[in-house]
Amino acid sequence: MSDVVVATDPNLEAAAGAHGGSGWAFLGRKVGGAVISLVLVVILGFFAFRIMPGDPVLAMAKQRPMTAAQMDQMRSQLGLDRPWWSQFCRYLADIFTGNLGESYVYKQSVASLIGQYFWNTILLTGTAAVIAIALGLWLGARAGWKHGTTFDNISSAIALVFWSVPTFWLALLLLMVFAGILHWFPTAGMMSPDPPDGTGARILDVMAHMVLPVLTMVAVVYAQYLMVMRASLVEEMGGDYLTTARAKGLREDLVRSRHAVPNALLPTVTLVFLHLGGLIAGAVTVETVFSWPGLGKLTFDAIQGPDLPLLQGTFVVFSSIIIVMNLLADLVYRVLDPRVRTS
């Protein structure tokens, strides 16, 4: 039996190796950039709050009268009497060992506080994100497909109005109308002071408390997805592949859903990851207005102190979430768009 020799093109092998190498190089650059950003965040997390006005010990002295000697002793216990470089070294050592310090106000470890309030924020912002993304993509696809029509003009105008409204103003307005005047929804908190019995009733109680804060977050966020999806779909409208799909006899709804929308989704997928981190970090205003027990409300309470360890911990957590989401956005876009992989 004769041997079979398979000829290979050296140029193709080199190109394949280059693409594989460029993929690892791309990953290395993005991960390296994320690590550098995290290091800068950790450093900024110390110095940014040290220059804030206010004395934590004086704030605690307002709640419990202290003599000057007692205040000096309290500063010594908190380590605030040490030189800044000594405090910074202690801060770095704690951060890299997973110790975020102890809250001045709550007298509890910052890590346990963040773990306690984190999932409340995820519940609120996650629900708002799912609704905002679904609503924005659906309206954006329809507005882009019917661009120039009355539906497009009205939906885009409404979205831009909500996008331009300050979050705190809209939150206060909804709170005043639907909770204060109409009494349709609870005014504050995550659960009623006297929660109902039964799992189902408790879930409904939490859902009732979520309506207004979720509605606020959706209203100010969904416009971004709508406008990007609309613009992407308008660009796809003149594509030859859509003409071919119509020539095959496909209905307009199928041409839009099976061919135009999947291609228009690429920029929107990146936007989703970029804004998920920002949505979590941006919950401070909404959680404060509605007294939702999450990281945003925790951060606001820490500013009142100022509770430096708690501020540093929430700042590092929020910033880390944004950096990780930005990294995922870059990686996902490279996977979804072959033009990025071959560039």
Side-chain angles (χ1 to χ4, degrees):
M1 179 180 293
S2 60
D3 296 332
V4 178
V5 179
V6 179
T8 59
D9 189 345
N11 294 328
L12 292 178
E13 291 182 350
H19 288 313
S22 64
W24 287 109
F26 175 84
L27 179 62
R29 288 196 304 270
K30 293 302 178 181
V31 173
V35 171
I36 293 174
S37 298
L38 285 173
V39 171
L40 294 176
V41 161
V42 168
I43 296 174
L44 181 62
F46 176 84
F47 291 102
F49 300 114
R50 287 302 188 281
I51 62 176
M52 285 181 57
D55 187 345
V57 176
L58 287 178
M60 287 184 282
K62 293 179 181 178
Q63 301 175 359
R64 186 184 62 185
M66 298 182 185
T67 64
Q70 289 175 328
M71 293 175 65
D72 291 338
Q73 183 180 5
M74 180 65 70
R75 288 191 178 91
S76 177
Q77 291 176 354
L78 298 178
L80 297 176
D81 60 339
R82 300 174 183 173
W84 69 266
W85 55 266
S86 177
Q87 296 183 44
F88 181 62
C89 292
R90 176 66 180 273
Y91 164 78
L92 289 180
D94 288 342
I95 284 288
F96 288 108
T97 56
N99 179 15
L100 299 179
E102 181 175 328
S103 169
Y104 297 162
V105 176
Y106 291 90
K107 305 300 181 183
Q108 184 179 342
S109 71
V110 172
S112 63
L113 279 171
I114 292 176
Q116 178 182 344
Y117 287 90
F118 178 76
W119 294 110
N120 294 342
T121 295
I122 292 297
L123 174 63
L124 183 66
T125 58
T127 303
V130 170
I131 297 174
I133 292 169
L135 180 64
L137 296 185
W138 181 74
L139 290 175
R142 291 188 171 273
W145 195 253
K146 301 178 180 180
H147 66 283
T149 63
T150 303
F151 176 83
D152 176 30
N153 295 332
I154 293 177
S155 61
S156 299
I158 293 175
L160 289 175
V161 168
F162 281 121
W163 195 0
S164 62
V165 170
T167 304
F168 75 91
W169 184 87
L170 180 61
L172 291 173
L173 180 64
L174 293 178
L175 186 63
M176 179 181 66
V177 174
F178 293 103
I181 298 176
L182 299 177
H183 303 288
W184 287 0
F185 302 103
T187 57
M190 183 177 175
M191 296 183 67
S192 300
D194 186 16
D197 297 328
T199 303
R202 288 176 181 267
I203 292 175
L204 291 177
D205 185 46
V206 173
M207 291 175 63
H209 284 78
M210 289 177 59
V211 171
L212 293 182
V214 166
L215 183 60
T216 302
M217 300 182 77
V218 169
V220 298
V221 169
Y222 88 96
Q224 302 174 56
Y225 304 111
L226 185 153
M227 300 308 296
V228 172
M229 186 64 187
R230 177 188 178 280
S232 299
L233 197 60
V234 169
E235 290 182 1
E236 299 291 334
M237 292 288 288
D240 294 336
Y241 68 95
L242 297 183
T243 303
T244 303
R246 292 189 180 96
K248 293 179 180 179
L250 291 178
R251 301 193 311 272
E252 282 296 300
D253 289 343
L254 294 179
V255 173
R256 182 186 71 243
S257 61
R258 293 184 181 180
H259 298 278
V261 170
N263 286 288
L265 276 175
L266 287 175
T268 314
V269 169
T270 306
L271 184 69
V272 167
F273 280 94
L274 289 175
H275 283 86
L276 280 178
L279 189 63
I280 295 174
V284 176
T285 301
V286 174
E287 290 187 1
T288 301
V289 171
F290 293 101
S291 298
W292 183 268
L295 292 182
K297 180 66 165 54
L298 194 66
T299 302
F300 180 80
D301 292 340
I303 294 174
Q304 305 303 307
D307 191 339
L308 297 181
L310 186 54
L311 280 173
Q312 291 168 175
T314 54
F315 175 77
V316 170
V317 169
F318 281 147
S319 302
S320 300
I321 291 174
I322 294 175
I323 291 171
V324 170
M325 286 300 173
N326 288 348
L327 174 62
L328 290 177
D330 290 335
L331 299 180
V332 169
Y333 193 78
R334 181 180 174 85
V335 171
L336 294 179
D337 194 345
R339 294 170 295 183
V340 177
R341 295 197 298 272
T342 57
S343 62

